[in-house]
Amino acid sequence: MRESIGTAIATPNIAMVKYWGRVKNEYNMPLNSSLGITLDFSLKTKTSVVFSHKLDRDRVIIDGKDRIAGQNNEKIANLIFVMNKLKKESGIDRGTHGLVVSQNSFPSDAGLSASSSGGAAFVLAANDALNLALSRKQLSILARHISGSACRSVYGGIVGWKRTPADGTEESYGEEVFAWDWWPELRDIVVILEEKKKKVPSSMGHDITPKTSSLYKCRPEYAEQSFEAALEAIRRRDFDRLGMVIMRESNSMHATMLDSMPPIFYLNDRSLEIIQASEELNEGSGHIKSAYSFDAGPNPHLFTTQRYRNEVLRMLDGIDGVRMIIEVGVGSGPQMSEEHLIDDNFRPVLQHSKP
Ligand code: DP6
């Protein structure tokens, strides 16, 4: 087989209705439905993949560092698992190894869901390198095996991911529910307060919270209601309704995290200050202008619309400790690229500027 390099660029998918909690040992089969926005190319992950018998081992290089699968790095172990699945599917011989080179245009440890864009970019690039022509649904299932939220990042626009049905093991995948240009005024103002790696990886949290939190018992049902309410608000382009769902969802998920044993908390004092400032901005106007949402980290995503973005940015002027602000819109989904991060001698291409 002639080795060909596949390269894809994908962007994070940030949840408005949050996935937290999975069916054990099932490669991220979710206990509740979630709904997220695939971001535009302001934040992106570029990944190149090649398979060759000239490589002596599988290798995964992210942002210039070799990543080793292990207990503390479930996502890399999952990626290798998916890589082996794809090798098998393509029928290449067992002595063939894979090289993955990936680069993020944003801090990958800041809780900005680099694993969603990374998982999606990997499956698309590998699919291309092996010439498999898998469907989006198949790619979404594979991406989910790496990181749950990655199953949403293989699509553009606003993407839903339904909970695992109680009766079965049927595969679980994302689906685009609104095209990227349905609501062009929507914005995610990403505020970087901290760039440290999270203390509790989300993969651990997805197991600990359902097992130990008593508040979690009502969480999956609440998320289902939020899912329906968010869909309706987006259908009507009603930001007052959507913003309320977004904030309550984030608060609900973080409440179950804190109620876990050991307790899991990702927010810091600055995060709480931004919640407070958003509440004041919204309350004073009778509208939702800044809808805060936090993933497994302290950095807020402030959802807003074009109409209110200046007010949100002004609000942030009054907060100390803001390191970076990135304003992002809804994205059209991953793209393939011919500019590879691997050269013809299977060496990573060093990029001086981010992709
Ligand atoms: C809180 O296991 O998919 O972001 O992006 O590495 O945290 P990470 O991956 P994943 O968990 C996502 C949890 C979440 C909510 C969400 O994206 O739905």
Side-chain angles (χ1 to χ4, degrees):
M1 178 193 129
R2 205 184 104 57
E3 297 98 350
S4 73
I5 305 169
T7 297
I9 302 172
T11 62
N13 180 287
I14 302 299
M16 300 181 286
V17 176
K18 305 289 195 187
Y19 151 58
W20 196 254
R22 62 185 181 184
V23 180
K24 220 168 173 330
N25 295 331
E26 290 291 348
Y27 285 102
N28 306 321
M29 296 285 280
L31 287 165
N32 69 269
S33 303
S34 60
L35 185 75
I37 293 188
T38 293
L39 302 181
D40 68 27
F41 287 105
S42 312
L43 300 178
K44 58 191 174 196
T45 305
K46 184 174 185 179
T47 302
S48 295
V49 181
V50 71
F51 294 91
S52 172
H53 65 273
K54 292 179 200 140
L55 295 161
D56 59 358
R57 63 192 163 104
D58 291 330
R59 230 182 131 187
V60 180
I61 302 170
I62 302 175
D63 291 336
K65 281 192 217 135
D66 266 278
R67 310 287 165 141
I68 311 295
Q71 250 191 342
N72 286 330
N73 210 338
E74 186 191 281
K75 286 181 173 121
I76 300 298
N78 291 348
L79 187 145
I80 301 284
F81 171 81
V82 170
M83 188 149 89
N84 286 332
K85 240 173 136 64
L86 290 170
K87 280 190 212 166
K88 214 164 152 189
E89 176 107 17
S90 73
I92 55 178
D93 74 73
R94 285 166 64 94
T96 303
H97 294 288
L99 170 65
V100 181
V101 179
S102 183
Q103 193 160 359
N104 293 294
S105 72
F106 58 96
S108 57
D109 282 332
L112 300 181
S113 204
S115 63
S116 66
S117 46
F122 168 73
V123 293
L124 277 135
N127 178 49
D128 196 43
L130 293 169
N131 211 4
L132 285 170
L134 298 175
S135 68
R136 279 287 148 150
K137 178 175 160 183
Q138 288 170 308
L139 292 169
S140 178
I141 292 170
L142 290 168
R144 191 207 78 227
H145 281 63
I146 300 171
S147 163
S149 50
C151 81
R152 300 191 308 247
S153 268
V154 302
Y155 303 92
I158 296 171
V159 185
W161 175 24
K162 285 304 197 65
R163 74 167 152 189
T164 308
D167 59 341
T169 50
E170 203 189 302
E171 278 298 8
S172 164
Y173 49 89
E175 281 169 294
E176 181 188 300
V177 282
F178 291 95
W180 69 277
D181 55 354
W182 171 251
W183 197 352
E185 293 81 17
L186 265 189
R187 290 278 172 283
D188 174 7
I189 297 184
V190 186
V191 186
I192 312 283
L193 301 170
E194 224 178 81
E195 292 184 26
K196 273 192 255 150
K197 201 174 168 62
K198 47 193 170 226
K199 278 181 280 195
V200 182
S202 48
S203 46
M204 269 168 77
H206 288 304
D207 294 333
I208 295 173
T209 302
K211 215 163 54 189
T212 63
S213 161
S214 63
L215 282 184
Y216 183 81
K217 291 190 175 64
C218 51
R219 168 78 196 138
E221 249 355 277
Y222 182 70
E224 292 317 297
Q225 287 167 26
S226 304
F227 187 88
E228 294 305 324
L231 285 185
E232 183 57 16
I234 296 166
R235 202 178 58 72
R236 293 167 183 256
R237 300 190 186 90
D238 179 342
F239 195 73
D240 285 340
R241 283 171 79 161
L242 180 63
M244 192 56 92
V245 174
I246 289 174
M247 293 184 290
R248 297 197 65 177
E249 256 302 304
S250 173
N251 293 340
S252 159
M253 177 184 74
H254 285 273
T256 66
M257 289 166 166
L258 187 59
D259 187 46
S260 304
M261 197 44 74
I264 305 170
F265 43 93
Y266 292 114
L267 308 190
N268 66 23
D269 289 352
R270 300 277 184 234
S271 324
L272 299 180
E273 206 182 319
I274 288 177
I275 292 180
Q276 193 61 43
S278 298
E279 288 292 341
E280 280 163 20
L281 179 70
N282 297 337
E283 221 174 77
S285 70
H287 287 289
I288 305 297
K289 294 182 170 175
S290 170
Y292 51 83
S293 183
F294 297 84
D295 283 338
N299 300 319
H301 293 267
L302 300 179
F303 286 99
T304 187
T305 67
Q306 182 61 33
R307 187 166 168 201
Y308 301 130
R309 55 137 345 236
N310 289 341
E311 288 179 70
V312 176
L313 293 173
R314 228 173 290 133
M315 172 192 91
L316 289 169
D317 273 348
I319 312 269
D320 284 339
V322 171
R323 291 186 176 197
M324 204 197 300
I325 295 172
I326 310 164
E327 191 177 340
V328 197
V330 185
S332 52
Q335 273 176 5
M336 303 313 290
S337 167
E338 287 305 316
E339 283 176 35
H340 307 302
L341 296 176
I342 299 172
D343 69 16
D344 292 340
N345 297 315
F346 309 118
R347 277 188 309 239
V349 173
L350 290 176
Q351 289 218 330
H352 297 296
S353 59
K354 296 276 173 116

